[in-house]
Amino acid sequence: MTAEGNLPGIDTTKPHSARMYDYYLGGKTHYEADVQAAEAVIATVPFAGGMARANRDFMIRATRWLTSEAGVRQFLDIGSGIPTEPNLHQIAQSVAPDARVVYTDSDPIVLQYAQALLHSTPEGRTAYLQADAARPASIVDSDELRSTLDLTRPVALSVNALFHFVPDEWGPYEILKGLLERLPSGSYLCLSHATADIDDPALAELGRDVEEIYAKGGTTLRLRDRAEVARFFEGLELVEPGIVMAHDWRPDPEQVTELKEGQPSMLAAVARKP
């Protein structure tokens, strides 16, 4: 089932990465162009849906760990995407009802569904900001963020499945630095990133094919190797187990991954700002 009608500011004739991701996750907020592009990816990498769900599960586990083990009570989720339950604030507030979350995204379709992100507990608070991650100051200095988060206290910055859509010429490392430098000591970075840096050369080649599918739809997908992903964490203290595939980051004992041995998800890690 796909989204119906044309929402203002949304081109439904071209695939969009957020709506394709929604399709991988089994959501309903996508159009025919998104289905066709996503199915082309699945035809190339049959376990693409499993990769997306592994990434989603990483976000859930990492948010739960940040709230319960690291004691974080404030979250900034950039590139939040189309709401999919459980959303980040639901996970954090299930552990700490007073947790506060600011969601940001530049996609107009996310704004249309942002109300789903604003159902906070009475003790906590959530806010949504339509903003471009390439302009960090517009996020950190916004009224929405400043009225929701206290930047003198630690914040967990969540940028899951975001930076592989930021080409090198946009300066992805500089963008992230511009966000982190405004957060206090004791804050955390939670990041996942698509990669073709895997042992199987055939799978690595398929990654390049997927990059081309996204490019045909007008979206840059930049797969980065482990060393390139590690650059995002420079100057930070990695939390164990470090940079691993998303489904290998502190997996729940009872959770069974859809991915078979040797199949990748995304590189992922959590790190603390000293």
Side-chain angles (χ1 to χ4, degrees):
M1 182 177 182
T2 60
E4 297 179 357
N6 293 328
L7 297 173
I10 297 172
D11 184 352
T12 62
T13 67
K14 296 180 179 180
H16 190 284
S17 58
R19 301 194 303 260
M20 291 172 65
Y21 189 66
D22 175 76
Y23 181 77
Y24 298 141
L25 293 175
K28 298 180 180 179
T29 310
H30 46 261
Y31 298 89
E32 186 58 32
D34 308 307
V35 174
Q36 291 179 2
E39 283 293 345
V41 172
I42 293 170
T44 304
V45 182
F47 52 90
M51 293 171 67
R53 287 183 284 275
N55 179 69
R56 185 79 186 171
D57 289 341
F58 160 71
M59 182 279 291
I60 293 171
R61 295 194 307 275
T63 300
R64 189 180 298 125
W65 182 87
L66 286 162
T67 312
S68 62
E69 300 296 327
V72 175
R73 294 295 180 267
Q74 302 189 111
F75 294 82
L76 174 56
D77 184 12
I78 298 181
S80 54
I82 296 166
T84 302
E85 291 194 352
N87 292 300
L88 190 150
H89 73 279
Q90 294 170 314
I91 301 159
Q93 291 177 349
S94 70
V95 178
D98 60 337
R100 294 183 165 222
V101 180
V102 172
Y103 293 101
T104 78
D105 205 292
S106 61
D107 185 0
I109 199 170
V110 180
L111 176 62
Q112 298 292 331
Y113 292 92
Q115 192 62 35
L117 301 174
L118 302 178
H119 297 300
S120 173
T121 59
E123 304 94 328
R125 187 170 179 182
T126 66
Y128 178 79
L129 169 67
Q130 186 168 15
D132 188 348
R135 299 172 56 236
S138 70
I139 296 174
V140 181
D141 295 333
S142 68
D143 291 339
E144 290 87 348
L145 185 142
R146 294 284 177 164
S147 63
T148 307
L149 305 183
D150 177 0
L151 295 187
T152 67
R153 297 171 54 229
V155 176
L157 172 62
S158 177
V159 284
N160 291 312
L162 172 66
F163 278 102
H164 48 241
F165 295 119
V166 179
D168 294 336
E169 56 267 28
W170 289 9
Y173 302 107
E174 291 72 21
I175 290 171
L176 183 61
K177 181 180 178 181
L179 291 164
L180 285 172
E181 67 185 5
R182 306 291 287 275
L183 303 182
S185 174
S187 292
Y188 284 82
L189 170 65
C190 178
L191 178 147
S192 63
H193 195 296
T195 183
D197 187 12
I198 51 184
D199 295 333
D200 188 336
L203 288 179
E205 183 61 35
L206 292 181
R208 287 185 280 274
D209 293 340
V210 171
E211 285 180 322
E212 292 182 8
I213 293 171
Y214 275 87
K216 288 178 181 178
T219 298
T220 296
L221 174 64
R222 171 69 163 86
L223 303 181
R224 294 185 170 93
D225 62 26
R226 184 176 294 272
E228 290 174 308
V229 172
R231 281 188 62 190
F232 288 111
F233 295 95
E234 287 182 355
L236 304 178
E237 301 166 348
L238 284 166
V239 172
E240 289 293 334
I243 302 172
V244 296
M245 289 296 173
H247 58 284
D248 290 328
W249 195 90
R250 295 176 178 256
D252 293 332
E254 67 279 5
Q255 189 171 24
V256 179
T257 179
E258 303 171 44
L259 300 172
K260 297 178 181 179
E261 185 69 29
Q263 291 179 336
S265 50
M266 297 185 190
L267 289 175
V270 175
R272 182 181 181 277
K273 179 179 178 179

